[in-house]
Amino acid sequence: MANNYVYTLDGKAYINLTNKCGNACSFCIRNTGDGVKDVALWLEREPQSADEVLTAFDKIAPTLKSDEVVFCGFGEPTEALEILKAVARRLKASGYKTRLNTNGLGNLVNGKNIAAELKGLIDVASVSLNNYNAQKYLEITSSVYGLRAFPAVVEFAEQCKAQGIDTVFTVVDTIGAQDIARCRELCESLSIPLRVREYVADNYKNEQGV
Ligand code: SF4
């Protein structure tokens, strides 16, 4: 275990805020390793302040080849909402673009509509849809929120879109062509784009696409 709050892949910065996640997805990279490439992502100690994260970011900033910073990591970033917002605020003020890779459960985690709080701080929200209905979602994710999870994910994405955040859903191609087609129908009805990610066991490739 280590405390890699910030790591880079191909010159892009990724922010790793927490180990916590309310899902246990069948395809999660946490099932097959402890990190991405040679970077350990399980945190021995989660950051207690934005400053801790930003200090780590400032060290790697001169090496970056991309102006996009991704909140991603091994847990769900919205589990650390206040630190996420504070870090994003500083990054935006410094001219970076921000992307949030999320399971979309942030409203349930925090007990409120967090999309409004992310406005102006997050440019792109990439939300894991996983499948097209609550039962199918639960089968993949084993979410602690049970059947409440899927409608909350959809609602969160709609709220992000309404806040002007560039919002996209993702699914992993292992769900099969029929379910992907149903997901496409749902996404079209919501006017939110869908990106189908190829499942690859290689953590490095997976993490880049999360
Ligand atoms: S939501 Fe993301 S971090 Fe959580 S179990 Fe699923 S894939 Fe892993």
Side-chain angles (χ1 to χ4, degrees):
M1 292 228 269
N3 287 320
N4 292 316
Y5 303 146
V6 180
Y7 57 101
T8 59
L9 296 174
D10 295 336
K12 184 180 285 195
Y14 292 77
I15 310 276
N16 181 33
L17 295 179
T18 179
N19 293 330
K20 298 187 191 84
C21 181
N23 284 357
C25 301
S26 54
F27 58 83
C28 183
I29 62 170
R30 293 149 53 117
N31 301 333
T32 53
D34 293 331
V36 175
K37 234 177 167 188
D38 55 355
V39 183
L41 292 179
W42 284 118
L43 297 173
E44 196 171 348
R45 175 186 167 280
E46 297 189 359
Q48 304 299 302
S49 72
D51 280 348
E52 284 186 72
V53 180
L54 289 165
T55 298
F57 181 85
D58 288 342
K59 280 188 191 149
I60 59 96
T63 70
L64 296 178
K65 297 177 191 147
S66 168
D67 65 355
E68 183 183 58
V69 180
V70 185
F71 291 89
C72 184
F74 238 31
E76 164 53 35
T78 60
E79 295 265 357
L81 181 64
E82 292 310 313
I83 294 180
L84 162 64
K85 287 192 302 179
V87 171
R89 187 170 294 114
R90 224 294 296 280
L91 292 174
K92 289 296 295 170
S94 301
Y96 290 98
K97 295 177 186 147
T98 54
R99 172 157 60 100
L100 170 64
N101 288 355
T102 177
N103 63 18
L105 296 171
N107 286 350
L108 292 180
V109 170
N110 293 284
K112 59 183 174 179
N113 173 359
I114 65 167
E117 298 179 31
L118 298 177
K119 182 180 182 178
L121 302 179
I122 296 296
D123 296 310
V124 179
S126 179
V127 183
S128 297
L129 183 64
N130 287 311
N131 217 311
Y132 66 86
N133 71 22
Q135 185 59 46
K136 290 256 186 185
Y137 179 96
L138 189 56
E139 285 165 15
I140 292 171
T141 64
S142 302
S143 180
V144 296
Y145 298 105
L147 293 171
R148 294 166 59 212
F150 181 77
V153 169
V154 172
E155 184 179 34
F156 172 71
E158 289 183 294
Q159 290 168 341
C160 285
K161 186 175 175 232
Q163 292 295 336
I165 297 169
D166 189 3
T167 305
V168 59
F169 277 127
T170 67
V171 294
V172 177
D173 63 359
T174 49
I175 64 174
Q178 265 191 330
D179 284 0
I180 289 172
R182 299 290 294 271
C183 289
R184 275 196 205 291
E185 283 173 22
L186 173 63
C187 292
E188 280 169 19
S189 74
L190 298 166
S191 298
I192 293 176
L194 174 68
R195 189 165 65 87
V196 180
R197 295 197 285 120
E198 180 190 2
Y199 175 78
V200 277
D202 180 304
N203 280 350
Y204 170 49
K205 290 179 191 161
N206 260 335
E207 192 67 3
Q208 284 193 308
V210 164

